[in-house]
mmCIF file of all heavy atoms in Angstrom:
data_model
loop_
_atom_site.group_PDB
_atom_site.id
_atom_site.type_symbol
_atom_site.label_atom_id
_atom_site.label_comp_id
_atom_site.label_asym_id
_atom_site.label_seq_id
_atom_site.Cartn_x
_atom_site.Cartn_y
_atom_site.Cartn_z
ATOM 1 N N VAL A 96 128.243 127.340 100.213
ATOM 2 C CA VAL A 96 127.206 127.280 101.253
ATOM 3 C C VAL A 96 125.896 126.798 100.674
ATOM 4 O O VAL A 96 125.463 127.355 99.611
ATOM 5 C CB VAL A 96 127.013 128.610 101.963
ATOM 6 C CG1 VAL A 96 125.966 128.558 103.082
ATOM 7 C CG2 VAL A 96 128.308 129.203 102.499
ATOM 8 N N PHE A 97 125.287 125.838 101.294
ATOM 9 C CA PHE A 97 124.008 125.354 100.899
ATOM 10 C C PHE A 97 122.895 125.906 101.887
ATOM 11 O O PHE A 97 122.991 125.736 103.051
ATOM 12 C CB PHE A 97 123.883 123.848 100.941
ATOM 13 C CG PHE A 97 124.591 123.196 99.764
ATOM 14 C CD1 PHE A 97 125.884 122.691 99.949
ATOM 15 C CD2 PHE A 97 123.966 123.135 98.491
ATOM 16 C CE1 PHE A 97 126.598 122.198 98.817
ATOM 17 C CE2 PHE A 97 124.685 122.563 97.432
ATOM 18 C CZ PHE A 97 125.992 122.077 97.623
ATOM 19 N N LEU A 98 121.886 126.589 101.340
ATOM 20 C CA LEU A 98 120.759 127.055 102.090
ATOM 21 C C LEU A 98 119.652 126.055 101.918
ATOM 22 O O LEU A 98 118.975 125.964 100.811
ATOM 23 C CB LEU A 98 120.306 128.405 101.548
ATOM 24 C CG LEU A 98 121.347 129.604 101.573
ATOM 25 C CD1 LEU A 98 120.798 130.788 100.907
ATOM 26 C CD2 LEU A 98 121.763 129.844 102.935
ATOM 27 N N LEU A 99 119.448 125.280 102.970
ATOM 28 C CA LEU A 99 118.430 124.218 102.814
ATOM 29 C C LEU A 99 117.109 124.692 103.496
ATOM 30 O O LEU A 99 116.929 124.550 104.665
ATOM 31 C CB LEU A 99 118.941 122.911 103.576
ATOM 32 C CG LEU A 99 120.337 122.424 103.061
ATOM 33 C CD1 LEU A 99 120.664 121.149 103.715
ATOM 34 C CD2 LEU A 99 120.249 122.260 101.499
ATOM 35 N N TRP A 100 116.280 125.288 102.702
ATOM 36 C CA TRP A 100 114.952 125.794 103.056
ATOM 37 C C TRP A 100 115.136 126.961 104.099
ATOM 38 O O TRP A 100 114.355 127.113 104.997
ATOM 39 C CB TRP A 100 114.046 124.727 103.630
ATOM 40 C CG TRP A 100 112.686 124.752 103.109
ATOM 41 C CD1 TRP A 100 111.536 124.988 103.857
ATOM 42 C CD2 TRP A 100 112.263 124.584 101.747
ATOM 43 N NE1 TRP A 100 110.378 124.857 103.101
ATOM 44 C CE2 TRP A 100 110.835 124.634 101.722
ATOM 45 C CE3 TRP A 100 112.911 124.389 100.527
ATOM 46 C CZ2 TRP A 100 110.057 124.518 100.534
ATOM 47 C CZ3 TRP A 100 112.181 124.244 99.398
ATOM 48 C CH2 TRP A 100 110.763 124.346 99.387
ATOM 49 N N TRP A 101 116.214 127.737 103.885
ATOM 50 C CA TRP A 101 116.451 128.818 104.826
ATOM 51 C C TRP A 101 115.556 129.962 104.574
ATOM 52 O O TRP A 101 115.369 130.391 103.432
ATOM 53 C CB TRP A 101 117.973 129.314 104.640
ATOM 54 C CG TRP A 101 118.458 130.099 105.791
ATOM 55 C CD1 TRP A 101 118.525 131.430 105.824
ATOM 56 C CD2 TRP A 101 118.830 129.586 107.048
ATOM 57 N NE1 TRP A 101 118.990 131.876 107.121
ATOM 58 C CE2 TRP A 101 119.185 130.695 107.863
ATOM 59 C CE3 TRP A 101 118.989 128.286 107.584
ATOM 60 C CZ2 TRP A 101 119.732 130.568 109.117
ATOM 61 C CZ3 TRP A 101 119.458 128.145 108.928
ATOM 62 C CH2 TRP A 101 119.797 129.262 109.626
ATOM 63 N N PHE A 117 126.492 130.844 97.312
ATOM 64 C CA PHE A 117 125.474 130.207 98.135
ATOM 65 C C PHE A 117 124.480 129.514 97.178
ATOM 66 O O PHE A 117 123.983 130.187 96.205
ATOM 67 C CB PHE A 117 124.805 131.268 98.909
ATOM 68 C CG PHE A 117 125.465 131.762 100.127
ATOM 69 C CD1 PHE A 117 126.679 132.438 100.080
ATOM 70 C CD2 PHE A 117 124.864 131.561 101.398
ATOM 71 C CE1 PHE A 117 127.320 132.889 101.247
ATOM 72 C CE2 PHE A 117 125.479 131.972 102.561
ATOM 73 C CZ PHE A 117 126.673 132.680 102.502
ATOM 74 N N VAL A 118 124.162 128.314 97.435
ATOM 75 C CA VAL A 118 123.176 127.581 96.554
ATOM 76 C C VAL A 118 121.837 127.505 97.436
ATOM 77 O O VAL A 118 121.861 126.996 98.499
ATOM 78 C CB VAL A 118 123.692 126.179 96.260
ATOM 79 C CG1 VAL A 118 122.599 125.356 95.613
ATOM 80 C CG2 VAL A 118 124.936 126.325 95.381
ATOM 81 N N ASN A 119 120.744 127.879 96.792
ATOM 82 C CA ASN A 119 119.465 127.965 97.433
ATOM 83 C C ASN A 119 118.430 127.022 96.743
ATOM 84 O O ASN A 119 118.573 126.657 95.646
ATOM 85 C CB ASN A 119 118.996 129.422 97.391
ATOM 86 C CG ASN A 119 117.672 129.582 98.167
ATOM 87 O OD1 ASN A 119 117.583 129.220 99.329
ATOM 88 N ND2 ASN A 119 116.690 130.193 97.529
ATOM 89 N N LEU A 120 117.476 126.635 97.590
ATOM 90 C CA LEU A 120 116.370 125.820 97.071
ATOM 91 C C LEU A 120 115.109 126.746 97.019
ATOM 92 O O LEU A 120 114.738 127.385 98.062
ATOM 93 C CB LEU A 120 116.087 124.710 98.023
ATOM 94 C CG LEU A 120 117.290 123.845 98.463
ATOM 95 C CD1 LEU A 120 116.793 122.698 99.322
ATOM 96 C CD2 LEU A 120 118.040 123.338 97.303
ATOM 97 N N HIS A 121 114.368 126.676 95.888
ATOM 98 C CA HIS A 121 113.188 127.576 95.839
ATOM 99 C C HIS A 121 112.063 126.764 95.227
ATOM 100 O O HIS A 121 112.218 126.080 94.130
ATOM 101 C CB HIS A 121 113.442 128.793 94.968
ATOM 102 C CG HIS A 121 112.355 129.792 94.908
ATOM 103 N ND1 HIS A 121 111.944 130.485 96.087
ATOM 104 C CD2 HIS A 121 111.485 130.118 93.980
ATOM 105 C CE1 HIS A 121 110.942 131.237 95.779
ATOM 106 N NE2 HIS A 121 110.629 131.110 94.482
ATOM 107 N N LEU A 125 111.672 128.889 88.492
ATOM 108 C CA LEU A 125 112.241 130.232 88.197
ATOM 109 C C LEU A 125 112.467 130.413 86.713
ATOM 110 O O LEU A 125 112.864 129.433 85.967
ATOM 111 C CB LEU A 125 113.557 130.385 88.928
ATOM 112 C CG LEU A 125 113.459 130.365 90.510
ATOM 113 C CD1 LEU A 125 114.827 130.404 91.106
ATOM 114 C CD2 LEU A 125 112.684 131.654 90.938
ATOM 115 N N SER A 147 113.306 124.707 91.892
ATOM 116 C CA SER A 147 114.554 125.153 91.335
ATOM 117 C C SER A 147 115.633 125.150 92.376
ATOM 118 O O SER A 147 115.429 125.397 93.597
ATOM 119 C CB SER A 147 114.483 126.508 90.781
ATOM 120 O OG SER A 147 113.427 126.721 89.825
ATOM 121 N N ILE A 148 116.881 124.853 91.925
ATOM 122 C CA ILE A 148 118.126 124.978 92.748
ATOM 123 C C ILE A 148 118.948 126.039 91.973
ATOM 124 O O ILE A 148 119.202 125.883 90.824
ATOM 125 C CB ILE A 148 118.811 123.715 92.919
ATOM 126 C CG1 ILE A 148 117.898 122.666 93.658
ATOM 127 C CG2 ILE A 148 120.158 123.861 93.658
ATOM 128 C CD1 ILE A 148 118.581 121.279 93.796
ATOM 129 N N HIS A 149 119.347 127.101 92.755
ATOM 130 C CA HIS A 149 120.035 128.170 92.101
ATOM 131 C C HIS A 149 120.999 128.869 93.031
ATOM 132 O O HIS A 149 120.939 128.738 94.280
ATOM 133 C CB HIS A 149 118.970 129.198 91.553
ATOM 134 C CG HIS A 149 118.205 129.882 92.738
ATOM 135 N ND1 HIS A 149 118.573 131.176 93.155
ATOM 136 C CD2 HIS A 149 117.251 129.437 93.609
ATOM 137 C CE1 HIS A 149 117.787 131.462 94.249
ATOM 138 N NE2 HIS A 149 116.992 130.462 94.468
ATOM 139 N N TYR A 150 121.889 129.650 92.346
ATOM 140 C CA TYR A 150 122.814 130.510 93.247
ATOM 141 C C TYR A 150 122.008 131.688 93.644
ATOM 142 O O TYR A 150 121.123 132.193 92.886
ATOM 143 C CB TYR A 150 124.033 130.842 92.438
ATOM 144 C CG TYR A 150 125.056 129.824 92.301
ATOM 145 C CD1 TYR A 150 125.216 128.951 91.219
ATOM 146 C CD2 TYR A 150 125.950 129.584 93.365
ATOM 147 C CE1 TYR A 150 126.162 127.955 91.136
ATOM 148 C CE2 TYR A 150 126.911 128.572 93.309
ATOM 149 C CZ TYR A 150 126.975 127.755 92.103
ATOM 150 O OH TYR A 150 127.959 126.716 92.117
ATOM 151 N N ILE A 151 122.432 132.271 94.713
ATOM 152 C CA ILE A 151 121.787 133.501 95.120
ATOM 153 C C ILE A 151 122.645 134.741 94.750
ATOM 154 O O ILE A 151 123.797 134.633 94.623
ATOM 155 C CB ILE A 151 121.440 133.495 96.666
ATOM 156 C CG1 ILE A 151 122.700 133.599 97.519
ATOM 157 C CG2 ILE A 151 120.533 132.380 97.060
ATOM 158 C CD1 ILE A 151 122.436 133.836 98.983
ATOM 159 N N ASP A 156 115.797 135.550 94.626
ATOM 160 C CA ASP A 156 115.617 134.422 93.737
ATOM 161 C C ASP A 156 115.877 134.699 92.287
ATOM 162 O O ASP A 156 115.282 134.147 91.360
ATOM 163 C CB ASP A 156 114.121 133.925 93.860
ATOM 164 C CG ASP A 156 113.711 133.616 95.290
ATOM 165 O OD1 ASP A 156 114.576 133.050 96.053
ATOM 166 O OD2 ASP A 156 112.590 133.894 95.717
ATOM 167 N N LEU A 161 120.844 126.127 88.508
ATOM 168 C CA LEU A 161 121.548 124.919 88.329
ATOM 169 C C LEU A 161 120.682 123.782 87.841
ATOM 170 O O LEU A 161 121.083 123.061 86.913
ATOM 171 C CB LEU A 161 122.181 124.490 89.661
ATOM 172 C CG LEU A 161 123.318 125.383 90.164
ATOM 173 C CD1 LEU A 161 123.663 125.124 91.613
ATOM 174 C CD2 LEU A 161 124.612 125.069 89.263
ATOM 175 N N ILE A 185 111.572 118.940 95.559
ATOM 176 C CA ILE A 185 112.846 119.669 95.831
ATOM 177 C C ILE A 185 113.870 118.802 96.542
ATOM 178 O O ILE A 185 115.035 118.789 96.267
ATOM 179 C CB ILE A 185 112.576 120.963 96.623
ATOM 180 C CG1 ILE A 185 113.884 121.896 96.556
ATOM 181 C CG2 ILE A 185 112.285 120.738 98.062
ATOM 182 C CD1 ILE A 185 114.096 122.480 95.126
#
Side-chain angles (χ1 to χ4, degrees):
V96 181
F97 285 98
L98 302 174
L99 305 183
W100 226 241
W101 197 259
F117 281 64
V118 173
N119 185 51
L120 316 181
H121 186 68
L125 294 172
S147 305
I148 299 177
H149 67 102
Y150 282 101
I151 67 169
D156 302 323
L161 289 163
I185 198 67

